[in-house]
Amino acid sequence: MNISKEQLDELNAVVTVDIAKADYSDKVEKILKDYRKTANIPGFRKGHVPMGFVKKQYGKAVLVDEVNKLLQDALNKYLTEEKLDVLGNPLPKEQEDFNWDADDYSFQFELGLAPDFEVNINGKKAITHYKIVPTEEMIDNQVTTMQKQYGKLIAKDAAEAGDVLSGTFANEEEAIENTTTVELDKIKGKKNLDKFIGAKVGDVITVKTKGLFEDDHDLIGALKIDHDKAHDLNIEVTFTVTEVNTQELAELDQELFDKLYGPGTVKTVSELKDKIKADAERQFEQQSDQQLLNAVTESMLENTKFELPAEFLKKWIQVTGEKALSEDEAKDEYEKSEKGLRYQLIEGKIINENNLQVTFDELKAFAKDLIKSQMAQFGQMSPEDKELEDIAARILSNQDEVKRISEQLMSQKMLTFYKENAKLKTKEVTFDEFVKEVYK
């Protein structure tokens, strides 16, 4: 057997695999002999089928199968030994005069080669890394929310601003009938609010859904409708009042602090606000980090220039999917996936050059941290070491979970790398400012 490579250009090559009769004949002969011993063919005793008959019946199929196995093994070994970084898979070239009745065969494969390039994380301008800080208003609102959560509802005769009404929203034509509570603080506009002010048990209030609440999500919950439907819904609904209550806020005392964070963790209102601020900053950091990942990715794609074997990749896309594509369809698919492919190559180069691969020990430790974090979110104590090991082992026995957690860990590693190596400028903003700047 002989394998050779013709380099067409920096990104394209053709590999030729020559297979001689001596490379496969012994293997084919052995398989046919085994067939002869076990074949059940009418008219012949088992083990006494003439070899000529066996070759005529099965020879070509066995030959093709063995040559293809030999071909694939040899090609894969060659690519590995020569350290050829290929994109997609080798594509066999069509040979019009190919003849399986010959003794020797020659096969050719087109290769699309990965480009050689240097990663450039930074452009001319520094990348903005946002530090999102909660405002005093946001913190005060969260304090009030906590007081409401642990406060009491006190029944009253007629509704006033800030009260909570229980009742049923209904619209027969849209099949809406949902029993819920309405916080009057969330009603939008004086005209709508005036309809609820003074309401008593048994009253029926008629309102338009369009612009009823400050937030469309409140309308979704109030009417039990789909998210997509809420945005443009503009119908009349009735609200039949069944209860009128005023919200008595919980006192900002040690009893409330202990309910919120455990005994003795928070002792003053100032400490409570510091805790709320720290929790908010942690949550905001996740959004800030995701934005940074996106920004660095875009910067690298813009500033790291290299060519791809585009024609090869279009051809590869055309023939390797679940169904064959036309040239135009393959071109469209390539254009859709080109940006992602470029980032995969850039990311792979960063990972390899900086030894950022995920090890099993790192994966296991990361999974344990996720388990403890999730349990803490639900107010559960961290499990003992043995229980934690068992939970982690069950999770890591699921390949889908392993893939998901590995991607999370790799994303974290890449983020750390970018923070240490990219040219960043920190910008402190409120959450509203962040949304306005990033999402326009």
Side-chain angles (χ1 to χ4, degrees):
M1 183 187 303
N2 182 59
I3 303 181
S4 59
K5 175 168 70 75
E6 178 188 1
Q7 193 77 32
L8 303 180
D9 55 43
E10 289 185 355
L11 300 174
N12 294 275
V14 173
V15 168
T16 301
V17 182
D18 295 319
I19 297 178
K21 184 175 182 179
D23 296 320
Y24 63 82
S25 57
D26 288 348
K27 183 69 173 175
V28 170
E29 196 69 24
K30 182 180 183 304
I31 292 173
L32 291 175
K33 284 180 180 178
D34 290 340
Y35 271 27
R36 183 172 183 255
K37 293 175 185 177
T38 58
N40 287 313
I41 296 177
F44 299 98
R45 285 185 299 151
K46 188 175 181 179
H48 292 273
V49 181
M51 190 52 145
F53 189 88
V54 172
K55 286 183 177 181
K56 185 176 180 180
Q57 287 286 98
Y58 306 108
K60 181 65 70 66
V62 172
L63 169 67
V64 172
D65 189 45
E66 288 307 309
V67 169
N68 277 320
K69 286 179 184 177
L70 191 63
L71 178 62
Q72 289 303 317
D73 289 344
L75 184 59
N76 291 336
K77 185 179 178 182
Y78 177 79
L79 296 178
T80 302
E81 289 179 347
E82 295 295 315
K83 298 180 180 178
L84 294 177
D85 191 1
V86 299
L87 300 180
N89 294 312
L91 287 178
K93 293 189 71 173
E94 289 188 17
Q95 295 172 264
E96 293 182 2
D97 58 347
F98 188 85
N99 180 14
W100 279 107
D101 291 327
D103 290 334
D104 301 331
Y105 309 106
S106 183
F107 302 90
Q108 289 188 319
F109 294 87
E110 296 178 63
L111 302 183
L113 304 177
D116 186 25
F117 60 92
E118 294 297 323
V119 176
N120 188 355
I121 295 178
N122 301 301
K124 293 180 180 179
K125 295 182 180 179
I127 299 168
T128 301
H129 184 203
Y130 291 94
K131 177 177 173 58
I132 309 171
V133 293
T135 62
E136 287 298 321
E137 181 184 6
M138 185 180 290
I139 294 171
D140 289 341
N141 288 340
Q142 184 60 25
V143 171
T144 303
T145 298
M146 290 173 166
Q147 289 180 276
K148 286 181 178 180
Q149 182 181 353
Y150 288 93
K152 293 186 295 185
L153 290 176
I154 300 173
K156 57 189 298 189
D157 293 332
E160 298 177 273
D163 285 347
V164 179
L165 275 60
S166 296
T168 301
F169 278 107
N171 177 290
E172 186 175 348
E173 186 176 336
E174 295 289 334
I176 293 171
E177 186 171 358
N178 185 52
T179 300
T180 186
T181 58
V182 176
E183 296 180 35
L184 297 191
D185 285 345
K186 295 183 177 181
I187 296 295
K188 183 178 180 179
K190 185 176 183 302
K191 184 178 178 181
N192 284 327
L193 184 59
D194 285 346
K195 293 183 179 182
F196 289 87
I197 299 297
K200 300 177 180 179
V201 173
D203 285 355
V204 179
I205 302 166
T206 301
V207 289
K208 286 270 193 179
T209 56
K210 189 72 172 177
L212 179 59
F213 291 98
E214 294 285 353
D215 189 335
D216 279 345
H217 290 90
D218 291 322
L219 184 66
I220 293 168
L223 305 184
K224 277 283 171 64
I225 56 176
D226 293 334
H227 183 279
D228 294 339
K229 189 175 183 180
H231 184 68
D232 296 317
L233 190 65
N234 188 18
I235 59 171
E236 278 193 347
V237 291
T238 59
F239 182 75
T240 303
V241 182
T242 56
E243 290 182 28
V244 178
N245 296 295
T246 188
Q247 178 84 57
E248 183 179 274
L249 301 181
E251 292 292 330
L252 291 172
D253 55 18
Q254 195 61 49
E255 182 182 357
L256 176 62
F257 302 154
D258 290 348
K259 286 178 181 177
L260 291 169
Y261 294 106
T265 303
V266 171
K267 296 179 181 177
T268 65
V269 173
S270 178
E271 289 180 6
L272 173 65
K273 289 186 175 183
D274 288 343
K275 190 78 171 169
I276 292 170
K277 182 180 180 182
D279 289 345
E281 286 178 346
R282 276 195 296 273
Q283 292 179 9
F284 289 152
E285 187 177 10
Q286 295 177 5
Q287 297 182 59
S288 173
D289 284 348
Q290 184 57 56
Q291 187 278 332
L292 179 62
L293 275 173
N294 295 340
V296 175
T297 297
E298 290 300 323
S299 176
M300 289 191 299
L301 286 169
E302 183 179 345
N303 295 291
T304 302
K305 304 296 184 183
F306 54 83
E307 296 296 321
L308 290 170
E311 294 308 311
F312 169 84
L313 290 170
K314 291 172 190 175
K315 189 185 295 186
W316 178 71
I317 290 170
Q318 187 177 359
V319 300
T320 56
E322 290 184 4
K323 64 173 186 176
L325 303 179
S326 68
E327 286 188 19
D328 287 341
E329 288 172 332
K331 181 182 177 183
D332 288 343
E333 285 299 314
Y334 173 74
E335 289 173 353
K336 290 175 186 175
S337 60
E338 182 186 0
K339 189 174 181 180
L341 175 58
R342 287 181 178 277
Y343 179 68
Q344 285 178 11
L345 290 171
I346 293 171
E347 184 183 55
K349 193 172 182 69
I350 292 173
I351 290 169
N352 291 330
E353 290 183 350
N354 297 278
N355 197 29
L356 300 181
Q357 291 85 355
V358 172
T359 67
F360 180 76
D361 287 342
E362 288 175 326
L363 188 65
K364 186 176 179 182
F366 188 69
K368 288 181 178 180
D369 288 340
L370 286 177
I371 293 164
K372 289 189 285 188
S373 175
Q374 288 172 357
M375 294 183 78
Q377 286 179 8
F378 292 99
Q380 298 174 313
M381 297 289 290
S382 291
E384 297 292 331
D385 288 344
K386 176 66 169 65
E387 184 183 359
L388 189 57
E389 283 281 343
D390 291 343
I391 297 172
R394 285 200 300 273
I395 290 173
L396 296 178
S397 66
N398 183 317
Q399 289 303 309
D400 290 337
E401 284 296 298
V402 169
K403 183 175 183 293
R404 182 181 66 83
I405 296 173
S406 295
E407 288 173 351
Q408 283 183 262
L409 179 53
M410 180 53 71
S411 180
Q412 191 178 89
K413 284 193 169 199
M414 295 299 291
L415 181 64
T416 301
F417 176 82
Y418 295 150
K419 286 181 177 179
E420 293 173 352
N421 293 276
K423 183 168 63 179
L424 306 178
K425 63 175 181 180
T426 301
K427 184 174 183 180
E428 197 168 285
V429 293
T430 66
F431 182 72
D432 287 343
E433 290 168 341
F434 173 77
V435 171
K436 186 176 180 180
E437 284 195 29
V438 173
Y439 300 108
K440 303 296 187 283

